[in-house]
């Protein structure tokens, strides 16, 4: 147990009733049902949503770009993508696709990424963040610094080392992080996946190559003309601000299918939705073997029937299709049971697997994977800092706050000595779930509500679910780099509406 800290906590936030985001789910459910039964309105053409049926399009896998010392380019541009039948959907994309290309980075090898901003003027400047990476503050994609203006470019340099060794293997992602408009920019398409390959992970013999598949899940809301503008709900004032949609896209394809062989697969799953957590399950009731969280392999694999994954989180699972040739099964999200305790998940189908012939399968899932680093043992029992995520107000009206304050890029709320191992207590004083994300360094979850974390939270993470009333203690070692980094909620409208702070690593 962590010893209680005796000093007085932050000011009580204003609590506002929160009916709306839950209602959004019933709206989404109704819309989903209409889609499922193929309701069409008489006299209208049936483009777009009305002609759309789940599991009619194959899953696409974004192309991979290998990063190294010679910079490779991502061009942010105004493009369109075929998503629904009929008109293409206008988007802002990297290299013309949503998701953007998957970045492949090698542990221990410098990776350079050139980003060119060719977006229309209304998009404003960009700041590209490799989410979950450990790199200097200048390379981190800050909300207001080192911006890439229109028709300009910059090269990000990621050392891919950590404390003198290679960066651990992990499934990361990248996205725009510009001040106040991150939610809009990611919704419009400025996001992609990234994989850090660590040769040390090869010895585990997990499924690899064609049997290792990254999946980016998002929800989007489409208009009659197939456009997907940033939805009005996103700009309402906290606590009702949420960009949610009623169509689930996997790697940019609405509810696709995937032909698989009857063998084991590794799926790297990213929830890149603005607000929506999913409660993932296989519809035939079989379990998934979770092998990794946000910062790579867990100490040991965990069998899971339902996996809750909030915005910005990643989970990696192995699914064994052997013995199921000719079957179909669906990855779905089931409604979250304790709706009263936090932000709900929609009931929706996501991805259909069509199992083909048996294939040779040399892969395995060992019963021990990657242990936590030793420094976690040295984390202080008494939290060094407490961070209350809540609702408050500033001159702009009701806003999301951390310790009663909204984001101010000029203000630093914590100075952390370099190489310090600190324990931070995160408290949710609001009635909405928050997905708390730390930049710069990975963290270990020490405690969740006074108990050790469940086995699936026993690895390193960078984003943690904190439901209303939850008290979650995390520990991090702030190694290598000096400078300012952000700490914020990754529900993107919360982030854009104040729920962000900065800490500075100092000598
Ligand atoms: Cu994925 Cu600060 O963000
Ligand atoms: Cu991040
Ligand atoms: Cu939040």
């Amino acid at each position: 147990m962590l010893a209680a800290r005796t000093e007085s906590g932050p000011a009580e936030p204003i609590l506002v009733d929160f009916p709306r985001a839950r209602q959004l789910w019933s709206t989404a459910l109704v819309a989903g049902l209409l889609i499922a039964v193929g309701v069409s309105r008489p006299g209208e053409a049936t483009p777009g949503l009305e002609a759309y049926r789940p599991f009619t399009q194959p899953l696409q896998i974004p192309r991979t770009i290998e990063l190294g010392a010679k910079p490779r380019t991502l061009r942010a541009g105004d493009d369109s993508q075929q998503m629904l039948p009929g008109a293409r959907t206008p988007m802002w994309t990297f290299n013309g696709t949503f998701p953007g290309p998957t970045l492949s980075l090698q542990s221990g090898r410098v990776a350079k990424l050139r980003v060119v901003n060719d977006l229309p003027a209304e998009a404003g400047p960009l700041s590209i963040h490799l989410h979950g990476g450990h790199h200097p503050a200048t390379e981190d994609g800050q909300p207001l610094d080192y911006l890439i203006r229109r028709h300009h470019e910059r090269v990000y340099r990621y050392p891919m080392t950590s404390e003198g060794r290679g960066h651990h293997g992990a499934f990361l992602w990248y996205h725009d992080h510009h001040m106040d408009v991150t939610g809009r920019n990611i919704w419009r398409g400025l996001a992609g996946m990234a994989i850090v390959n660590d040769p040390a992970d090869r010895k585990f013999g997990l499924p690899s190559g064609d049997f290792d598949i990254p999946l980016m899940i998002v929800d989007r809301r489409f208009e009659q003309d197939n456009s997907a503008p940033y939805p009005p709900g996103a700009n309402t004032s906290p606590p009702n601000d949420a960009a949610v949609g009623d169509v689930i896209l996997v790697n940019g394809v609405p509810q696709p299918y995937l032909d698989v062989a009857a063998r084991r697969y590794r799926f790297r799953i990213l929830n890149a939705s603005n607000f929506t957590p999913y409660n993932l399950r296989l519809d035939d009731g079989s379990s998934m073997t979770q092998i990794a969280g946000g910062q790579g392999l867990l100490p040991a694999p965990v069998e899971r029937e339902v996996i809750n994954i909030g915005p910005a989180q990643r989970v990696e699972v192995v699914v064994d299709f052997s013995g199921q040739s000719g079957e179909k099964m669906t990855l779905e999200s089931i409604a979250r049971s304790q709706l009263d305790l936090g932000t709900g998940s929609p009931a929706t189908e996501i991805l259909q697997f069509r199992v083909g012939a048996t294939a040779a399968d040399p892969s395995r899932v060992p019963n021990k994977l990657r242990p936590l680093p030793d420094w976690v043992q040295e984390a202080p029992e008494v939290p060094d800092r407490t961070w209350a995520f809540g609702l408050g107000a500033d001159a702009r009206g009701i806003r999301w706050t951390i310790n009663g304050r909204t984001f101010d890029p000029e203000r630093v709320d914590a100075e952390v000595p370099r190489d310090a191992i600190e324990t931070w207590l995160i408290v949710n004083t609001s009635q909405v779930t928050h997905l708390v994300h730390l930049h710069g360094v990975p963290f270990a979850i020490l405690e969740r509500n006074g108990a050790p974390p469940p086995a699936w939270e026993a690895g390193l993470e960078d984003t943690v679910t904190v439901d209303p009333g939850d008290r979650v203690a995390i520990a991090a070692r702030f190694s290598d780099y000096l400078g300012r980094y952000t700490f914020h909620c990754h529900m993107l409208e919360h982030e854009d509406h104040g729920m962000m702070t900065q800490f500075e690593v100092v000598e």
Side-chain angles (χ1 to χ4, degrees):
M1 289 284 289
L2 290 168
R5 196 168 168 102
T6 45
E7 76 182 33
S8 61
E12 264 309 298
I14 308 163
L15 287 180
V16 174
D17 189 36
F18 177 65
R20 180 124 185 290
R22 279 177 217 155
Q23 276 167 15
L24 285 168
W25 282 125
S26 14
T27 319
L29 282 177
V30 171
L33 285 174
L34 292 177
I35 295 163
V37 297
V39 173
S40 68
R41 286 163 218 166
E44 274 178 28
T46 54
L49 268 186
E50 292 168 19
Y52 156 73
R53 299 288 176 278
F55 314 140
T56 50
Q57 299 184 65
L59 178 78
Q60 302 293 320
I61 298 176
R63 62 181 275 256
T64 297
I65 291 185
E66 307 271 349
L67 296 187
K70 185 165 160 284
R72 300 286 307 272
T73 299
L74 289 180
R75 176 193 157 274
D78 195 1
D79 292 293
S80 67
Q81 182 146 317
Q82 190 75 54
M83 288 186 169
L84 296 172
R88 294 168 69 89
T89 299
M91 300 192 76
W92 294 342
T93 61
F94 292 114
N95 294 6
T97 64
F98 175 73
T102 300
L103 306 178
S104 169
L105 304 101
Q106 290 303 322
S107 169
R109 199 168 95 197
V110 170
K112 290 187 186 168
L113 179 67
R114 171 186 291 113
V115 180
V116 182
N117 181 355
D118 274 338
L119 287 165
E122 57 162 317
L126 298 178
S127 184
I128 305 308
H129 173 56
L130 177 61
H131 176 123
H134 175 59
H135 39 247
T138 52
E139 312 305 304
D140 196 42
Q142 305 282 356
L144 270 190
D145 292 331
Y146 318 108
L147 301 181
I148 312 168
R149 307 199 172 275
R150 185 163 188 237
H151 298 324
H152 286 63
E153 61 171 59
R154 76 156 279 186
V155 176
Y156 293 91
R157 183 186 183 279
Y158 307 118
M160 301 317 293
T161 55
S162 178
E163 302 173 12
R165 275 169 288 167
H167 194 291
H168 50 271
F171 176 44
L172 310 181
W173 65 301
Y174 63 92
H175 57 79
D176 174 62
H177 212 302
H178 184 208
M179 176 95 173
D180 294 344
V181 292
T182 299
R184 179 200 66 178
N185 288 359
I186 294 179
W187 180 277
R188 296 290 308 259
L190 296 172
M193 298 179 277
I195 294 173
V196 182
N197 298 293
D198 181 356
D201 289 347
R202 264 184 233 142
K203 62 175 179 288
F204 296 118
L206 295 161
S208 60
D210 290 346
F211 308 103
D212 175 354
I213 297 180
L215 304 172
M216 176 197 279
I217 302 174
V218 298
D219 56 347
R220 289 292 182 269
R221 183 171 168 277
F222 292 90
E223 301 291 329
Q224 279 294 311
D225 61 0
N226 283 359
S227 66
Y230 192 43
N235 293 317
T236 47
S237 95
N240 298 320
D241 48 345
V244 298
D246 46 21
V247 177
I248 303 292
L249 310 175
V250 186
N251 294 352
V253 184
Q255 295 173 302
Y257 67 85
L258 174 66
D259 289 313
V260 292
R263 54 156 287 162
R264 274 183 287 271
Y265 280 74
R266 174 181 188 163
F267 295 108
R268 305 183 190 238
I269 305 173
L270 158 67
N271 179 0
S273 305
N274 286 42
F275 175 82
T276 307
Y278 303 99
N279 230 5
L280 302 177
R281 183 180 78 163
L282 291 170
D283 71 335
D284 68 349
S286 54
S287 66
M288 298 172 271
T289 306
Q290 186 177 341
I291 53 168
Q295 287 282 325
L297 296 174
L298 293 169
V302 196
E303 288 304 309
R304 300 193 69 188
E305 267 156 39
V306 180
I307 298 177
N308 191 264
I309 179 172
Q313 290 190 304
R314 287 87 65 213
V315 294
E316 300 186 43
V317 297
V318 171
V319 177
D320 190 353
F321 297 105
S322 64
Q324 312 209 55
S325 292
E327 307 277 320
K328 286 184 181 134
M329 65 177 84
T330 304
L331 179 69
E332 60 183 9
S333 170
I334 55 168
R336 197 174 178 201
S337 50
Q338 347 69 313
L339 258 192
D340 295 345
L341 298 179
T343 300
S345 294
T348 180
E349 293 173 311
I350 295 175
L351 169 66
Q352 183 185 65
F353 299 110
R354 299 178 179 174
V355 189
T358 304
D361 188 359
S363 75
R364 61 199 172 90
V365 182
N367 50 29
K368 290 266 173 292
L369 294 164
R370 198 180 72 205
L372 273 181
D374 292 338
W375 62 257
V376 177
Q377 296 302 322
E378 295 162 40
E381 290 217 346
V382 179
D384 297 281
R385 302 167 204 277
T386 298
W387 302 97
F389 283 65
L391 198 58
D394 66 11
R396 297 207 247 177
I398 294 180
R399 306 271 286 168
W400 293 108
T401 59
I402 301 177
N403 287 355
R405 302 207 273 190
T406 54
F407 183 58
D408 175 352
E410 300 302 318
R411 196 184 72 233
V412 169
D413 286 331
E415 289 194 343
V416 182
R418 174 153 58 182
D419 293 327
I421 300 163
E422 291 204 354
T423 298
W424 289 7
L425 181 64
I426 302 163
V427 181
N428 183 348
T429 58
S430 76
Q431 297 175 38
V432 184
T433 301
H434 300 294
L435 269 290
V436 175
H437 171 48
L438 178 68
H439 278 230
V441 289
F443 59 77
I445 298 168
L446 301 182
E447 268 190 26
R448 179 177 273 291
N449 300 325
W456 57 86
E457 285 189 328
L460 294 176
E461 294 287 346
D462 53 57
T463 308
V464 63
T465 296
V466 187
D467 279 328
D470 273 1
R471 301 170 67 82
V472 177
I474 64 170
R477 175 146 81 182
F478 295 83
S479 53
D480 293 328
Y481 307 116
L482 301 173
R484 289 186 183 187
Y485 293 90
T486 60
F487 177 55
H488 63 88
C489 178
H490 218 294
M491 279 159 155
L492 299 174
E493 288 66 46
H494 298 185
E495 169 183 348
D496 285 341
H497 299 159
M499 197 171 250
M500 176 148 64
T501 179
Q502 284 181 117
F503 62 95
E504 183 166 359
V505 183
V506 296
E507 265 326 339

